[in-house]
Amino acid sequence: MTDLQTRVRPPGSASPRRAAPALLGYAAVRALGLLGLVLWSAARDKSAYTLLTARWDALWYARVAELGYGYEVRLPNGDVHSDLAFFPLLPWLEKLLHAATPLSYADAGFVVSLLASLAAAWGIFAVADHVHGRRAGVCAVLVWAVLPVGIVQSMAYSESLFTALAAWSLYSVLTGRWLTAGALASLSGLTRPVGLAVVAAVWAAGAASLLRDRAAVPEGSTATGAESLLADRAAASEVSIAGTRSTAPASGAHTRERAPGPSGEALAGRERNAVHPRFTPHALAILLAPLGAAGYVLWVGHRTGRGPLGYLDVQAGWRNGFDGGYAFARFVAGKFTSLPSALAGLGLIVGVVLLLWLYAVCVRQGQPLPLLVYGGAVLALALCASSYFGSKPRLLLPAFPLLLPPALALSRLRTSRAALVVGCAATASAVYGAWWLNGSGPP
């Protein structure tokens, strides 16, 4: 099998009915997390809803939705925190929902995140189901739901929206829906800077497909696009006759299983390419994917008057950048100055090693190329960012391909044991999430 080849599944494998157990399980886990947050916050005389909708980044998004861009805070040390650091898709959706309903901007952000979290769970199921099967798909969603920082999935933040767009873009790549993949990648680039990881995945998959298609054309061939199309149709016809095998179910009835061959969608694509050979769906997806991120970055550069690098200046005002992990390494090393903090430093090292090991397992298990590129890019961007070290677990939340190995292991357990593991993890996640959001710093 090639990197992009996947098992043949019947149409509708990502249908709501097929995904229903995963979505119901996800909703139950998140409901437990919200209940834990409500109880913990009430004990501390705080509002759980305020923690979810009106603190930290949620305030910045709501302000952009209400007043547009142009707000900044100048700190005593000279740093400038500008709202231009926040990508526009979530504020746009908040503004749209506010205009269409009686909801406030904060309420609209909460609703968008709740709906987006369900869409993200559905997309994660679709990807995992496509690669490993339905049971692994359900387990992948549950593992994502019970992450220690899973409470962020219910906040008026952009992580859930981004994860939904990324998951469905990757699923579209895996199933050959190139234009959809490119469009969703472009939208992900309007959601978070890490949208570059989705763009990289689409680029890698598209380039691999283009190279594979070129390698499939015999050297020196002079066949026209129409002749190639007719040859493909003939091959498909031959496969439908000679490439089938009979299977005998217990009932004694015989069914015919068709061997993989050129599908109607593939033939239609070749027919279009016969007229416009340079504008293949792969190439169009490659061109479409970066438009969202590039458009916003260029707009910020124009607005600030600093050209294409203006967005980097905005991020520098937040002391955020990409230094290859040097600042994070210094942060971890600084934890070993005293005994209590040394335990936290040791935990950070163990966490980083675990993440790298999970990625190595993903490679060893032969995950499809777009998942490896996306997961690796999200991991690298999160670990190598130079600021807000306490937010790194949240920044890793969209890296769901790293969860496929533990999901696959969970799917091999008996249902009772798997339920016990998920139940314990969900309880721990609810307690940790409630404690985390009631802390002093932003998640």
Coordinates of all heavy atoms in Angstrom, one line a residue, residues 167-260:
A167 N -9.8 18.2 10.7 CA -10.2 16.8 10.6 C -10.9 16.6 9.3 O -10.6 15.6 8.6 CB -11.0 16.4 11.8
W168 N -11.8 17.4 9.0 CA -12.6 17.2 7.8 C -11.8 17.5 6.5 O -12.0 16.8 5.5 CB -13.9 18.0 7.8 CG -14.9 17.4 8.7 CD1 -15.3 17.9 9.9 CD2 -15.7 16.2 8.5 NE1 -16.3 17.1 10.5 CE2 -16.5 16.1 9.6 CE3 -15.7 15.3 7.4 CZ2 -17.4 15.0 9.7 CZ3 -16.6 14.2 7.6 CH2 -17.4 14.1 8.7
S169 N -10.8 18.4 6.6 CA -9.9 18.6 5.5 C -9.1 17.3 5.2 O -8.9 16.9 4.1 CB -9.0 19.8 5.7 OG -8.1 20.0 4.6
L170 N -8.6 16.8 6.3 CA -7.8 15.5 6.2 C -8.6 14.4 5.7 O -8.1 13.6 4.9 CB -7.1 15.2 7.5 CG -6.0 16.2 8.0 CD1 -5.6 15.9 9.4 CD2 -4.8 16.2 7.1
Y171 N -9.8 14.3 6.2 CA -10.7 13.2 5.7 C -11.0 13.4 4.2 O -11.0 12.4 3.5 CB -12.0 13.2 6.5 CG -13.0 12.2 6.0 CD1 -12.8 10.8 6.3 CD2 -14.1 12.6 5.3 CE1 -13.7 9.9 5.9 CE2 -15.0 11.6 4.8 CZ -14.8 10.3 5.1 OH -15.7 9.3 4.7
S172 N -11.2 14.6 3.8 CA -11.4 14.9 2.4 C -10.2 14.5 1.5 O -10.3 13.9 0.4 CB -11.7 16.4 2.1 OG -12.9 16.7 2.8
V173 N -9.0 14.7 2.1 CA -7.8 14.3 1.3 C -7.8 12.8 1.2 O -7.5 12.2 0.2 CB -6.5 14.8 2.1 CG1 -5.3 14.1 1.5 CG2 -6.4 16.3 1.9
L174 N -8.0 12.1 2.3 CA -8.0 10.6 2.4 C -9.0 10.0 1.4 O -8.8 8.9 0.9 CB -8.2 10.1 3.8 CG -7.1 10.5 4.8 CD1 -7.5 10.0 6.2 CD2 -5.8 9.8 4.4
T175 N -10.1 10.7 1.2 CA -11.2 10.1 0.4 C -11.2 10.7 -1.0 O -12.1 10.5 -1.8 CB -12.5 10.3 1.0 OG1 -12.7 11.7 1.3 CG2 -12.6 9.5 2.3
G176 N -10.1 11.5 -1.4 CA -10.0 12.0 -2.7 C -10.9 13.2 -3.1 O -11.1 13.5 -4.2
R177 N -11.4 13.9 -2.1 CA -12.3 15.1 -2.3 C -11.3 16.3 -2.2 O -11.3 17.0 -1.2 CB -13.4 15.2 -1.3 CG -14.4 14.0 -1.4 CD -15.3 14.0 -0.2 NE -16.4 13.0 -0.3 CZ -16.3 11.8 0.1 NH1 -15.2 11.3 0.7 NH2 -17.3 10.9 0.0
W178 N -10.6 16.5 -3.3 CA -9.5 17.5 -3.2 C -10.0 18.9 -3.1 O -9.4 19.7 -2.3 CB -8.6 17.3 -4.4 CG -7.9 16.0 -4.4 CD1 -8.1 14.9 -5.1 CD2 -6.7 15.8 -3.6 NE1 -7.2 13.9 -4.8 CE2 -6.3 14.4 -3.9 CE3 -5.9 16.5 -2.8 CZ2 -5.2 13.8 -3.3 CZ3 -4.8 16.0 -2.2 CH2 -4.5 14.6 -2.4
L179 N -11.0 19.3 -3.8 CA -11.4 20.7 -3.7 C -12.0 21.0 -2.3 O -11.7 22.1 -1.8 CB -12.4 21.0 -4.8 CG -11.9 20.9 -6.2 CD1 -13.0 21.3 -7.2 CD2 -10.7 21.8 -6.4
T180 N -12.7 20.1 -1.8 CA -13.2 20.2 -0.4 C -12.1 20.4 0.6 O -12.1 21.2 1.5 CB -14.1 19.1 0.0 OG1 -15.2 19.0 -0.9 CG2 -14.6 19.2 1.4
A181 N -11.0 19.5 0.4 CA -9.9 19.6 1.3 C -9.2 20.9 1.2 O -8.8 21.5 2.2 CB -8.9 18.4 0.9
G182 N -9.0 21.4 0.0 CA -8.4 22.7 -0.2 C -9.2 23.9 0.4 O -8.6 24.8 1.1
A183 N -10.5 23.8 0.3 CA -11.4 24.9 0.8 C -11.3 24.8 2.3 O -11.2 25.9 3.0 CB -12.8 24.7 0.3
L184 N -11.4 23.7 2.9 CA -11.4 23.6 4.4 C -10.0 24.0 5.0 O -9.9 24.6 6.0 CB -11.7 22.2 4.8 CG -13.2 21.7 4.6 CD1 -13.4 20.3 4.9 CD2 -14.2 22.6 5.4
A185 N -8.9 23.6 4.2 CA -7.6 24.0 4.7 C -7.5 25.5 4.6 O -6.9 26.2 5.5 CB -6.6 23.4 3.8
S186 N -8.1 26.2 3.6 CA -8.1 27.6 3.5 C -8.8 28.2 4.7 O -8.4 29.2 5.3 CB -8.7 28.1 2.2 OG -8.6 29.5 2.1
L187 N -10.0 27.7 5.1 CA -10.7 28.2 6.2 C -9.9 27.9 7.5 O -10.0 28.8 8.5 CB -12.1 27.5 6.3 CG -13.1 27.9 5.2 CD1 -14.4 27.0 5.4 CD2 -13.4 29.4 5.3
S188 N -9.3 26.8 7.7 CA -8.5 26.6 8.9 C -7.4 27.6 9.0 O -7.0 28.0 10.1 CB -7.8 25.2 8.8 OG -6.8 25.1 7.9
G189 N -6.9 28.1 7.8 CA -5.9 29.2 7.9 C -6.4 30.5 8.3 O -5.6 31.4 8.6
L190 N -7.7 30.7 8.3 CA -8.4 31.9 8.8 C -8.8 31.7 10.3 O -9.4 32.6 10.9 CB -9.6 32.2 8.0 CG -9.5 32.7 6.6 CD1 -10.8 32.8 5.8 CD2 -8.9 34.1 6.7
T191 N -8.4 30.6 10.9 CA -8.8 30.3 12.3 C -7.7 30.4 13.3 O -7.9 31.0 14.3 CB -9.4 28.9 12.3 OG1 -10.4 28.7 11.3 CG2 -10.1 28.6 13.7
R192 N -6.6 29.8 12.9 CA -5.4 29.8 13.8 C -4.1 29.8 13.0 O -4.1 29.3 11.9 CB -5.4 28.6 14.8 CG -6.6 28.6 15.7 CD -6.4 27.4 16.8 NE -5.2 27.6 17.6 CZ -5.1 28.5 18.6 NH1 -6.2 29.1 19.0 NH2 -4.0 28.6 19.3
P193 N -3.0 30.3 13.5 CA -1.7 30.2 12.8 C -1.3 28.8 12.4 O -0.7 28.6 11.4 CB -0.7 30.9 13.7 CG -1.6 31.7 14.6 CD -2.9 31.0 14.8
V194 N -1.7 27.8 13.3 CA -1.4 26.4 13.0 C -2.1 25.9 11.8 O -1.9 24.7 11.5 CB -1.6 25.6 14.3 CG1 -3.1 25.3 14.5 CG2 -0.9 24.3 14.3
G195 N -3.0 26.7 11.2 CA -3.6 26.3 9.9 C -2.5 25.9 8.9 O -2.8 25.2 7.9
L196 N -1.3 26.4 9.1 CA -0.2 26.0 8.2 C 0.0 24.5 8.2 O 0.5 23.9 7.2 CB 1.1 26.7 8.6 CG 1.1 28.3 8.5 CD1 2.4 28.8 9.0 CD2 0.9 28.7 7.0
A197 N -0.3 23.8 9.3 CA -0.1 22.4 9.4 C -1.1 21.7 8.4 O -0.8 20.7 7.8 CB -0.3 21.9 10.8
V198 N -2.3 22.2 8.3 CA -3.3 21.6 7.4 C -2.9 21.9 5.9 O -3.0 21.0 5.1 CB -4.7 22.2 7.6 CG1 -5.7 21.5 6.8 CG2 -5.1 22.2 9.1
V199 N -2.4 23.1 5.7 CA -1.9 23.4 4.4 C -0.7 22.5 4.0 O -0.7 22.0 2.9 CB -1.4 24.9 4.3 CG1 -0.8 25.2 3.0 CG2 -2.6 25.9 4.6
A200 N 0.2 22.3 4.9 CA 1.3 21.4 4.6 C 0.8 20.0 4.3 O 1.4 19.3 3.4 CB 2.3 21.3 5.8
A201 N -0.2 19.5 5.0 CA -0.7 18.1 4.8 C -1.4 18.1 3.4 O -1.1 17.1 2.7 CB -1.8 17.8 5.9
V202 N -2.1 19.1 3.0 CA -2.7 19.1 1.7 C -1.7 19.2 0.6 O -1.7 18.5 -0.4 CB -3.7 20.2 1.6 CG1 -4.3 20.4 0.1 CG2 -4.9 20.1 2.5
W203 N -0.7 20.0 0.8 CA 0.4 20.1 -0.1 C 1.2 18.8 -0.3 O 1.4 18.3 -1.4 CB 1.4 21.2 0.3 CG 1.0 22.6 -0.1 CD1 -0.2 22.9 -0.7 CD2 1.7 23.8 0.2 NE1 -0.2 24.3 -0.8 CE2 0.9 24.8 -0.3 CE3 2.9 24.0 0.8 CZ2 1.3 26.2 -0.2 CZ3 3.3 25.4 0.9 CH2 2.5 26.4 0.4
A204 N 1.5 18.1 0.8 CA 2.2 16.9 0.7 C 1.4 15.8 0.0 O 1.9 15.1 -0.8 CB 2.6 16.4 2.2
A205 N 0.1 15.7 0.4 CA -0.7 14.7 -0.2 C -0.9 15.0 -1.7 O -0.9 14.1 -2.5 CB -2.0 14.6 0.5
G206 N -1.2 16.2 -2.0 CA -1.4 16.6 -3.4 C -0.2 16.4 -4.2 O -0.3 15.8 -5.4
A207 N 1.0 16.7 -3.7 CA 2.2 16.5 -4.5 C 2.5 15.0 -4.7 O 2.9 14.6 -5.8 CB 3.4 17.2 -3.7
A208 N 2.2 14.2 -3.7 CA 2.4 12.8 -3.8 C 1.5 12.2 -4.8 O 1.9 11.3 -5.6 CB 2.2 12.1 -2.4
S209 N 0.3 12.7 -4.9 CA -0.7 12.2 -5.8 C -0.3 12.6 -7.3 O -0.4 11.8 -8.2 CB -2.1 12.7 -5.5 OG -2.6 12.1 -4.3
L210 N 0.1 13.8 -7.4 CA 0.6 14.3 -8.7 C 1.8 13.5 -9.2 O 1.8 13.1 -10.4 CB 0.9 15.8 -8.7 CG -0.3 16.7 -8.5 CD1 0.2 18.2 -8.3 CD2 -1.1 16.7 -9.8
L211 N 2.7 13.2 -8.4 CA 3.9 12.4 -8.7 C 3.5 11.0 -9.1 O 4.0 10.4 -10.0 CB 4.9 12.4 -7.6 CG 5.6 13.8 -7.4 CD1 6.5 13.7 -6.1 CD2 6.4 14.2 -8.6
R212 N 2.5 10.5 -8.3 CA 2.1 9.1 -8.6 C 1.4 9.0 -9.9 O 1.6 8.1 -10.7 CB 1.2 8.6 -7.5 CG 0.9 7.1 -7.6 CD 0.1 6.6 -6.4 NE -1.2 7.3 -6.2 CZ -1.5 8.1 -5.2 NH1 -0.6 8.4 -4.4 NH2 -2.7 8.7 -5.2
D213 N 0.5 10.0 -10.2 CA -0.2 10.0 -11.5 C 0.8 10.2 -12.6 O 0.6 9.6 -13.7 CB -1.2 11.2 -11.5 CG -2.3 10.9 -10.6 OD1 -2.5 9.8 -10.1 OD2 -3.1 11.9 -10.3
R214 N 1.8 11.0 -12.4 CA 2.8 11.2 -13.5 C 3.6 9.9 -13.7 O 3.9 9.6 -14.9 CB 3.8 12.4 -13.2 CG 4.8 12.6 -14.2 CD 5.6 13.8 -13.9 NE 4.8 15.0 -14.0 CZ 5.3 16.3 -13.8 NH1 6.6 16.5 -13.5 NH2 4.5 17.3 -13.8
A215 N 3.9 9.2 -12.7 CA 4.7 8.0 -12.8 C 3.9 6.9 -13.5 O 4.4 6.0 -14.1 CB 5.2 7.5 -11.4
A216 N 2.5 7.0 -13.4 CA 1.7 6.0 -14.0 C 1.6 6.2 -15.5 O 1.1 5.2 -16.2 CB 0.3 6.1 -13.4
V217 N 2.0 7.3 -16.0 CA 1.9 7.5 -17.5 C 3.2 6.9 -18.1 O 4.3 7.3 -17.7 CB 1.9 9.0 -17.8 CG1 1.9 9.2 -19.3 CG2 0.6 9.6 -17.2
P218 N 3.1 6.0 -19.0 CA 4.3 5.4 -19.6 C 5.2 6.4 -20.3 O 4.7 7.4 -20.9 CB 3.7 4.4 -20.6 CG 2.3 4.1 -20.2 CD 1.9 5.4 -19.6
E219 N 6.5 6.2 -20.1 CA 7.4 7.2 -20.7 C 7.3 7.1 -22.2 O 7.3 6.1 -22.8 CB 8.9 6.8 -20.3 CG 9.9 7.8 -20.7 CD 11.3 7.4 -20.2 OE1 11.4 6.5 -19.4 OE2 12.3 8.1 -20.6
G220 N 7.3 8.3 -22.8 CA 7.2 8.4 -24.2 C 5.8 8.3 -24.7 O 5.6 8.2 -26.0
S221 N 4.8 8.1 -23.8 CA 3.4 7.9 -24.3 C 2.9 9.2 -25.0 O 3.2 10.3 -24.5 CB 2.5 7.6 -23.1 OG 1.2 7.6 -23.5
T222 N 2.2 9.0 -26.1 CA 1.6 10.2 -26.8 C 0.1 10.2 -26.8 O -0.5 10.8 -27.5 CB 2.1 10.2 -28.3 OG1 1.7 8.9 -28.9 CG2 3.6 10.3 -28.3
A223 N -0.4 9.3 -25.9 CA -1.9 9.2 -25.8 C -2.5 10.5 -25.4 O -2.0 11.2 -24.5 CB -2.3 8.1 -24.8
T224 N -3.6 10.9 -26.0 CA -4.3 12.1 -25.6 C -5.1 11.9 -24.4 O -5.2 10.8 -23.9 CB -5.2 12.6 -26.7 OG1 -6.2 11.6 -26.9 CG2 -4.5 12.8 -28.0
G225 N -5.6 13.0 -23.8 CA -6.4 12.9 -22.6 C -7.6 12.0 -22.8 O -8.0 11.2 -22.0
A226 N -8.2 12.2 -24.0 CA -9.4 11.4 -24.3 C -9.1 9.9 -24.5 O -9.8 9.1 -24.0 CB -10.1 11.9 -25.6
E227 N -8.0 9.6 -25.1 CA -7.6 8.2 -25.2 C -7.3 7.6 -23.9 O -7.6 6.5 -23.6 CB -6.3 8.1 -26.2 CG -6.6 8.5 -27.6 CD -5.4 8.6 -28.4 OE1 -4.3 8.8 -27.8 OE2 -5.5 8.6 -29.7
S228 N -6.6 8.4 -23.0 CA -6.3 7.9 -21.7 C -7.6 7.6 -20.9 O -7.7 6.7 -20.2 CB -5.5 8.9 -20.9 OG -5.2 8.5 -19.6
L229 N -8.6 8.5 -21.1 CA -9.9 8.3 -20.4 C -10.6 7.1 -20.9 O -11.1 6.3 -20.1 CB -10.8 9.6 -20.7 CG -12.2 9.5 -20.2 CD1 -12.2 9.4 -18.7 CD2 -13.0 10.7 -20.6
L230 N -10.5 6.8 -22.2 CA -11.1 5.6 -22.7 C -10.4 4.4 -22.2 O -11.1 3.4 -21.9 CB -11.1 5.6 -24.3 CG -12.0 6.7 -24.9 CD1 -11.8 6.7 -26.4 CD2 -13.5 6.4 -24.6
A231 N -9.1 4.5 -22.1 CA -8.4 3.3 -21.6 C -8.7 3.0 -20.1 O -8.9 1.9 -19.7 CB -6.8 3.6 -21.7
D232 N -8.9 4.1 -19.3 CA -9.3 3.9 -18.0 C -10.7 3.3 -17.9 O -10.9 2.4 -17.0 CB -9.3 5.3 -17.2 CG -7.9 5.6 -16.7 OD1 -7.0 4.8 -16.8 OD2 -7.8 6.8 -16.3
R233 N -11.6 3.7 -18.7 CA -12.9 3.1 -18.7 C -12.9 1.7 -19.1 O -13.6 0.8 -18.5 CB -13.8 3.9 -19.6 CG -14.3 5.3 -19.0 CD -15.1 6.0 -20.0 NE -15.7 7.2 -19.3 CZ -16.2 8.3 -20.0 NH1 -16.3 8.3 -21.3 NH2 -16.7 9.3 -19.3
A234 N -12.1 1.4 -20.1 CA -11.9 0.0 -20.4 C -11.3 -0.9 -19.3 O -11.8 -2.0 -19.0 CB -11.0 -0.1 -21.7
A235 N -10.3 -0.3 -18.6 CA -9.8 -1.0 -17.5 C -10.8 -1.2 -16.4 O -10.8 -2.3 -15.8 CB -8.6 -0.2 -16.9
A236 N -11.6 -0.2 -16.1 CA -12.7 -0.3 -15.1 C -13.6 -1.4 -15.5 O -14.1 -2.2 -14.7 CB -13.4 1.0 -14.9
S237 N -14.0 -1.5 -16.8 CA -14.9 -2.5 -17.2 C -14.3 -3.9 -17.1 O -15.0 -4.8 -16.6 CB -15.2 -2.3 -18.7 OG -16.1 -3.3 -19.2
E238 N -13.0 -4.0 -17.4 CA -12.3 -5.3 -17.2 C -12.3 -5.7 -15.7 O -12.5 -6.9 -15.4 CB -10.9 -5.3 -17.8 CG -10.9 -5.1 -19.3 CD -9.5 -4.9 -19.8 OE1 -8.5 -5.0 -19.0 OE2 -9.3 -4.8 -21.0
V239 N -12.0 -4.8 -14.9 CA -12.0 -5.1 -13.4 C -13.3 -5.5 -12.9 O -13.4 -6.5 -12.1 CB -11.5 -3.8 -12.6 CG1 -11.7 -4.0 -11.2 CG2 -10.0 -3.6 -12.9
S240 N -14.4 -4.9 -13.4 CA -15.7 -5.3 -13.0 C -16.1 -6.7 -13.4 O -16.9 -7.3 -12.7 CB -16.7 -4.3 -13.5 OG -16.8 -4.5 -14.9
I241 N -15.4 -7.2 -14.4 CA -15.7 -8.6 -14.8 C -14.7 -9.6 -14.2 O -15.1 -10.6 -13.6 CB -15.7 -8.7 -16.4 CG1 -16.8 -7.8 -16.9 CG2 -15.9 -10.1 -16.8 CD1 -16.8 -7.7 -18.4
A242 N -13.4 -9.3 -14.4 CA -12.4 -10.3 -14.0 C -11.9 -10.0 -12.6 O -11.3 -10.9 -12.0 CB -11.2 -10.2 -15.0
G243 N -12.2 -8.9 -12.1 CA -11.6 -8.5 -10.7 C -12.6 -8.7 -9.6 O -12.5 -8.0 -8.6
T244 N -13.6 -9.6 -9.8 CA -14.5 -9.9 -8.7 C -14.3 -11.3 -8.2 O -13.7 -12.1 -8.8 CB -16.0 -9.8 -9.2 OG1 -16.2 -10.7 -10.3 CG2 -16.3 -8.4 -9.7
R245 N -14.8 -11.5 -6.9 CA -14.7 -12.8 -6.4 C -15.9 -13.1 -5.6 O -16.6 -12.2 -5.1 CB -13.4 -12.9 -5.4 CG -13.5 -12.0 -4.2 CD -12.3 -12.3 -3.3 NE -12.3 -11.6 -2.1 CZ -11.8 -10.4 -1.9 NH1 -11.2 -9.8 -2.9 NH2 -11.9 -9.8 -0.8
S246 N -16.3 -14.3 -5.6 CA -17.5 -14.7 -4.9 C -17.2 -15.1 -3.4 O -16.2 -15.7 -3.1 CB -18.1 -16.0 -5.6 OG -18.5 -15.6 -6.9
T247 N -18.1 -14.7 -2.6 CA -18.0 -15.0 -1.2 C -19.3 -15.8 -0.8 O -20.4 -15.5 -1.3 CB -17.9 -13.8 -0.3 OG1 -19.0 -12.9 -0.5 CG2 -16.6 -13.1 -0.6
A248 N -19.2 -16.7 0.1 CA -20.3 -17.5 0.5 C -20.7 -17.2 2.0 O -20.1 -17.8 2.8 CB -20.1 -19.0 0.3
P249 N -21.7 -16.4 2.2 CA -22.1 -16.2 3.6 C -22.8 -17.4 4.2 O -23.0 -18.4 3.4 CB -23.2 -15.0 3.5 CG -22.9 -14.4 2.1 CD -22.4 -15.5 1.3
A250 N -23.1 -17.4 5.4 CA -23.7 -18.6 6.1 C -25.0 -19.0 5.5 O -25.4 -20.1 5.5 CB -23.9 -18.3 7.6
S251 N -25.7 -18.0 4.9 CA -27.0 -18.3 4.3 C -26.9 -19.1 3.0 O -27.9 -19.6 2.5 CB -27.8 -17.0 4.1 OG -27.1 -16.2 3.2
G252 N -25.7 -19.2 2.5 CA -25.5 -19.9 1.2 C -25.6 -19.0 0.0 O -25.3 -19.4 -1.1
A253 N -26.1 -17.7 0.2 CA -26.2 -16.8 -0.9 C -24.8 -16.3 -1.3 O -24.0 -16.1 -0.4 CB -27.1 -15.6 -0.6
H254 N -24.6 -16.0 -2.6 CA -23.3 -15.6 -3.0 C -23.4 -14.1 -3.4 O -24.4 -13.6 -4.0 CB -22.9 -16.3 -4.3 CG -22.5 -17.8 -4.0 ND1 -21.3 -18.2 -3.7 CD2 -23.3 -18.9 -4.0 CE1 -21.2 -19.5 -3.5 NE2 -22.5 -19.9 -3.7
T255 N -22.4 -13.4 -2.9 CA -22.3 -11.9 -3.3 C -21.1 -11.7 -4.0 O -20.1 -12.5 -3.9 CB -22.3 -11.1 -2.0 OG1 -21.2 -11.4 -1.2 CG2 -23.6 -11.3 -1.2
R256 N -21.0 -10.6 -4.8 CA -19.9 -10.3 -5.6 C -19.2 -9.1 -5.0 O -19.9 -8.0 -4.8 CB -20.3 -10.0 -7.0 CG -20.8 -11.3 -7.7 CD -21.3 -11.0 -9.1 NE -20.3 -10.6 -10.0 CZ -19.5 -11.5 -10.6 NH1 -19.6 -12.8 -10.4 NH2 -18.5 -11.1 -11.4
E257 N -17.9 -9.2 -4.7 CA -17.2 -8.1 -4.1 C -16.3 -7.5 -5.2 O -15.4 -8.2 -5.8 CB -16.3 -8.5 -3.0 CG -15.5 -7.4 -2.3 CD -14.8 -7.9 -1.1 OE1 -15.0 -9.0 -0.7 OE2 -13.9 -7.1 -0.7
R258 N -16.5 -6.3 -5.5 CA -15.7 -5.7 -6.6 C -14.3 -5.3 -6.2 O -14.2 -4.6 -5.2 CB -16.5 -4.5 -7.2 CG -15.8 -3.8 -8.4 CD -16.8 -2.8 -9.0 NE -16.2 -2.1 -10.1 CZ -16.8 -1.3 -10.9 NH1 -18.1 -1.1 -10.7 NH2 -16.2 -0.7 -11.9
A259 N -13.3 -5.7 -7.0 CA -12.0 -5.2 -6.7 C -11.8 -3.8 -6.9 O -12.5 -3.2 -7.7 CB -11.0 -6.0 -7.5
P260 N -10.9 -3.1 -6.2 CA -10.7 -1.7 -6.4 C -10.2 -1.4 -7.8 O -9.4 -2.1 -8.4 CB -9.5 -1.4 -5.4 CG -9.6 -2.5 -4.4 CD -10.0 -3.7 -5.1

